[in-house]
Amino acid sequence: QQLLARTRRETSILTMDHCGSSNACERTSFIFLRQELPVRLANIMKEINLLPDQLLATPSVQHLQSWYVQSLLDLMNFHDNNPEDPGTLEDFADALIRIRNRHNDVVPTMAQGVIEYRETYGTDPVTSQNIQYFLDRFYMSRISIRMLINQHTLIFNGSANPAHPKHIGSIDPHCDVVAVVRDAYDAAKMLCDQYYLGSPELEIEEFNAIRRGSPIHMVYVPSHLYHMLFELFKNSMRATVEYNENVVIFPPVKVLLSLGPEDLSIKVSDKGGGVPLRKIERLFSYMYSTAPTPKFGDTSRAPLAGFGYGLPISRLYARYFQGDLQLYSMEGYGTDAVVYLKALSTDSVERLPVYNKSAWRHYQASPEADDWCIPSREPKNLSVTTPSK
């Protein structure tokens, strides 16, 4: 309760960038993190306890809760330690690495818990809505915690990536957006070639309204951008190949990048047949997937394929620094997926869930009758409907 009462301090990507500069102070980072990380853990742990009892009782969620309890205890051990002691700083960095490694499988473990619950008890609209609300907040909290841990350990623990010497922690002050697009495409293409023995080509168009004719660079976390684009390319390639299975050359996947005064927009377009409007929101649901449900620990598949978590978590990565990810589809033609990011690092401030009365009330909501007339069943598939005699 004392941790919940503390005010969390969201940071901007610019602040993280400056904190990792040549003037970075490990003691300052230690003092901030030993206070901030327990607060973030406590907030989300409080919300975990508001989930349905049957979901909390699943082995996967029980296991996950034990990780969070242990990590909170590990951090509280440093509450009264002297920041001037080099040994304390070294032990703290080691503890952060252990916490990060302990939580590596949080996403698939929680996904497995939801699957166990769904297969045993089924779902209803209110429970599904509460789980969707919780998982958005839970995974956003995880993104923020890992971001802070990575910044500290990469900068102060001597574990910086030699392949990216100019990165400040996990932040690239001059992120080459087109290069990240190509990397994500190449990784998705390799998977597509492996499964389908073919893949669509990539076409990129770049428009810089700030410095016309110049390549687009920005202050951002390349791994976050890569994660979003990789998921979008996987979806676009799968749809394109399956929808155009009888053609010799697949229609290309097109990417348009546009940098304006406020936003950097990245549009990924395909001719994969699109999806009906009524299904767009389902694509962002943790309870829905268009792929077969995988077995936990199956490494033969693409990451998270079948859990239905690719798009919703990609949207969280976009929203973490005040951006967004939206889908615009034309059934029978294809889909445009647009990633919106803040062009200015000063506007890229963390978006964090906060546990308060408003959050608590959300979990107590009871089903109410809808005040709009809504069709009660799926529309008929006229292509397979037998005409009456």
Side-chain angles (χ1 to χ4, degrees), residues 131-175:
I131 291 176
Q132 181 76 23
Y133 176 80
F134 166 76
L135 289 179
D136 271 344
R137 295 162 66 82
F138 177 71
Y139 290 132
M140 184 70 88
S141 172
R142 179 179 185 269
I143 290 171
S144 76
I145 290 170
R146 289 184 78 85
M147 182 69 193
L148 294 182
I149 289 177
N150 285 337
Q151 283 304 100
H152 185 91
T153 55
L154 288 172
I155 293 170
F156 301 115
N157 201 46
S159 55
N161 188 344
H164 303 287
K166 295 185 179 179
H167 284 197
I168 298 176
S170 55
I171 298 172
D172 186 350
H174 305 284
C175 180

Side-chain angles (χ1 to χ4, degrees), residues 381-389:
N381 185 346
L382 298 180
S383 64
V384 297
T385 302
T386 305
S388 57
K389 296 182 180 180

Side-chain angles (χ1 to χ4, degrees), residues 136-357:
D136 271 344
R137 295 162 66 82
F138 177 71
Y139 290 132
M140 184 70 88
S141 172
R142 179 179 185 269
I143 290 171
S144 76
I145 290 170
R146 289 184 78 85
M147 182 69 193
L148 294 182
I149 289 177
N150 285 337
Q151 283 304 100
H152 185 91
T153 55
L154 288 172
I155 293 170
F156 301 115
N157 201 46
S159 55
N161 188 344
H164 303 287
K166 295 185 179 179
H167 284 197
I168 298 176
S170 55
I171 298 172
D172 186 350
H174 305 284
C175 180
D176 185 339
V177 179
V178 170
V180 179
V181 169
R182 293 192 185 280
D183 286 346
Y185 167 80
D186 288 341
K189 174 180 170 61
M190 183 177 66
L191 287 176
C192 191
D193 288 338
Q194 177 183 348
Y195 291 133
Y196 296 105
L197 304 180
S199 57
E201 293 299 315
L202 173 67
E203 294 182 3
I204 299 179
E205 185 178 358
E206 190 175 5
F207 183 74
N208 189 334
I210 306 302
R211 295 181 179 177
R212 296 183 184 272
S214 299
I216 295 176
H217 293 85
M218 67 183 305
V219 181
Y220 205 69
V221 185
S223 60
H224 289 190
L225 180 57
Y226 175 91
H227 182 104
M228 293 180 255
L229 293 171
F230 177 63
E231 290 296 336
L232 294 180
F233 280 133
K234 278 199 307 180
N235 292 339
S236 289
M237 289 183 180
R238 175 186 167 202
T240 299
V241 172
E242 292 183 355
Y243 187 70
N244 300 277
E245 58 182 351
N246 297 321
V247 304
V248 177
I249 300 177
F250 297 117
V253 173
K254 298 182 179 181
V255 175
L256 172 62
L257 299 97
S258 178
L259 177 64
E262 292 188 24
D263 295 337
L264 168 64
S265 306
I266 306 172
K267 182 171 71 172
V268 179
S269 304
D270 66 61
K271 294 183 180 178
V275 294
L277 175 63
R278 66 184 176 83
K279 289 187 177 180
I280 291 292
E281 278 306 310
R282 292 186 193 177
L283 300 180
F284 289 104
S285 171
Y286 299 100
M287 309 293 281
Y288 175 82
S289 173
T290 58
T293 300
K295 295 180 179 179
F296 183 50
D298 181 4
T299 58
S300 64
R301 291 181 171 273
L304 301 184
F307 283 123
Y309 283 25
L311 278 176
I313 289 186
S314 293
R315 183 167 65 176
L316 293 181
Y317 273 110
R319 289 178 172 178
Y320 175 51
F321 282 124
Q322 304 299 326
D324 205 355
L325 191 163
Q326 297 181 11
L327 294 183
Y328 306 93
S329 192
M330 299 177 68
E331 187 182 17
Y333 182 78
T335 301
D336 291 344
V338 185
V339 176
Y340 297 98
L341 306 176
K342 290 297 181 182
L344 300 177
S345 55
T346 51
D347 295 335
S348 300
V349 180
E350 288 184 296
R351 180 178 181 179
L352 302 174
V354 178
Y355 178 76
N356 53 25
K357 288 185 178 180

Side-chain angles (χ1 to χ4, degrees), residues 48 59-69 103 105-107 109-111 134 138-139:
I48 291 177
S60 296
V61 176
Q62 291 271 309
H63 195 41
L64 183 144
Q65 280 187 297
S66 70
W67 295 342
Y68 274 75
V69 170
H103 290 246
D105 289 331
V106 159
V107 175
T109 301
M110 176 58 82
F134 166 76
F138 177 71
Y139 290 132

